[in-house]
Amino acid sequence: MRGFRDVFGADADNLTQLEASARKIFKLYSVAELRIPTVELKELFVKATGDTTDIVQKEMYAFEDAGGRLLALRPEGTPGVARAYIENNFAQTSPVQRFFYIGNMFRAERPQAGRYREFEQIGAEFLGAAAPATDAEAILLLKDIITDFGVKNYSVKINSLGCAKCRPAYRQQLIEFFSAQKDNLCDKCLSRLQKNPLRVLDCKIDGEKFKNSVPKQQLCGACANHFTEVKNLLEGKINFEADPMLVRGLDYYTGTVFEFLAGASAQNAIAGGGRYDTLIKSMGGADAAAIGWAMGAERVCAARGQNTAAQDKKVFVVCMDQAGNKMAFNLMQTLRAAGIITEGGLFDKNLKTQMKQADRSRANFAIIIGGDEVKNNTAVLKNLQSGEQKTLPITEVATSI
Ligand code: ATP
Ligand code: MG
């Protein structure tokens, strides 16, 4: 099906490695896993993600179940986390909660490189935390994960969207500015001008066109101080650029927003996030400030490419004599018990096929058991890179690798 893929080979390995980096760094930052459902009430996304967003208007897989409930496959993780926070009374458990999730998201978009209909997001949400240090910590958490995974070339943009005090005036200013430019706006921007004028800044066509002339936001004192403090904390720890045109596509953002970019294509956003200080309360929960981000796992993998770090050693056990099958099989289990990655067991195939498979498996060593080895209780250890080989007592194989 278009936009839905089978993931295997190097692509599957890369995703697994990214998840491992993420879990390792989440642990260092003391962020706990939250597994949220794949399906939620459609209403949740309409209310939280926002009904003026592309995600809700055009990209949601929504359906009615047999019981007549209107459901949707999750297009993003934040609404589910916010709902869980409220339903499980997390605010009462502790004033600050830090969660991560790893899971597939669904958006009915036009499939292209880096844009799928089912894709993986790794996300983090810090709830109940209003201090600028939290924003800086969230951004550095994201940086540490992609750095641990091995992404080298990326850039970071940050901005502040202001709050309920300073944003309405800016909205109005933008409506006035763009209303005078109606003839120069694309159809999409014309239709969202009244409802969500900030999104015009995000438009790949009009945003670029009006980059220099559009009025820039004047933050209120509190927002300006907050933003300055975030930038101060990040200084020297990450390279970033403050970009007044960065607005992000979701309705719930307030204050700090940020995006990590890599590559030159239109699908160059590898991760994005920001504050959503009013979302939890607007959903009927506590007055809890929050900040979060999500990375597109496939795009982060593409930004790194193949893993060039040293791989763990691997062996392939070859047995050319039926009489040695049990010995070879036992050796495979001994090697695994010793922590060595072991493949083999093709004992019904001839030597040539087994050796070909050993090469294909990218093992570092082949262990070969033939008639003589069965007789003498030995094995041949062959280094598949250098071709060098030696015969060893079977009991010494595991310690010789
Ligand atoms: P874009 O501008 O590329 O559409 P977005 O603003 O819709 O991205 P977010 O909702 O912020 O994206 O999701 C966070 C991250 O998830 C993005 O930065 C991107 O890496 C990834 N992502 C979003 N949509 C897709 C998709 N359809 N396929 C693969 N990855 C995606
Ligand atoms: Mg999108």
Side-chain angles (χ1 to χ4, degrees), residues 26-187:
F26 282 136
K27 201 169 180 180
L28 282 178
Y29 278 75
S30 191
V31 182
E33 182 166 14
L34 178 64
R35 298 191 185 211
I36 41 173
T38 311
V39 177
E40 299 269 2
L41 290 175
K42 178 185 171 193
E43 192 67 8
L44 174 70
F45 302 111
V46 175
K47 284 208 175 120
T49 308
D51 58 4
T52 70
T53 59
D54 285 350
I55 292 180
V56 167
Q57 283 187 351
K58 297 191 304 221
E59 300 173 1
M60 209 148 58
Y61 283 99
F63 58 97
E64 194 179 311
D65 77 357
R69 278 170 293 262
L70 285 177
L71 306 177
L73 299 181
R74 58 185 182 194
E76 57 144 344
T78 306
V81 173
R83 178 201 48 68
Y85 180 80
I86 298 167
E87 278 181 12
N88 296 294
N89 286 318
F90 286 144
Q92 264 91 63
T93 321
S94 110
V96 180
Q97 301 271 347
R98 298 142 68 94
F99 294 115
F100 76 87
Y101 59 84
I102 298 178
N104 286 9
M105 304 296 157
F106 303 83
R107 298 185 191 178
E109 307 195 68
R110 196 170 70 80
Q112 50 198 297
R115 193 174 295 287
Y116 311 107
R117 291 183 168 170
E118 179 174 9
F119 61 100
E120 177 176 323
Q121 279 190 345
I122 300 178
E125 314 285 353
F126 293 177
L127 302 124
T134 312
D135 308 31
E137 211 186 345
I139 292 169
L140 293 174
L141 165 66
L142 174 51
K143 178 205 161 201
D144 284 354
I145 292 172
I146 63 171
T147 307
D148 185 83
F149 176 61
V151 179
K152 293 201 175 68
N153 298 315
Y154 62 92
S155 59
V156 180
K157 288 182 175 177
I158 71 172
N159 189 23
S160 173
L161 297 180
C163 65
K165 258 195 223 139
C166 49
R167 187 152 55 166
Y170 185 50
R171 260 188 106 248
Q172 202 45 46
Q173 218 182 342
L174 287 177
I175 293 177
E176 279 159 27
F177 175 84
F178 286 121
S179 295
Q181 297 288 346
K182 272 190 177 152
D183 293 345
N184 295 318
L185 291 181
C186 72
D187 292 347

Side-chain angles (χ1 to χ4, degrees), residues 362-374:
R362 298 167 115 205
N364 309 85
F365 298 95
I367 293 168
I368 306 157
I369 295 177
D372 285 350
E373 285 72 36
V374 175

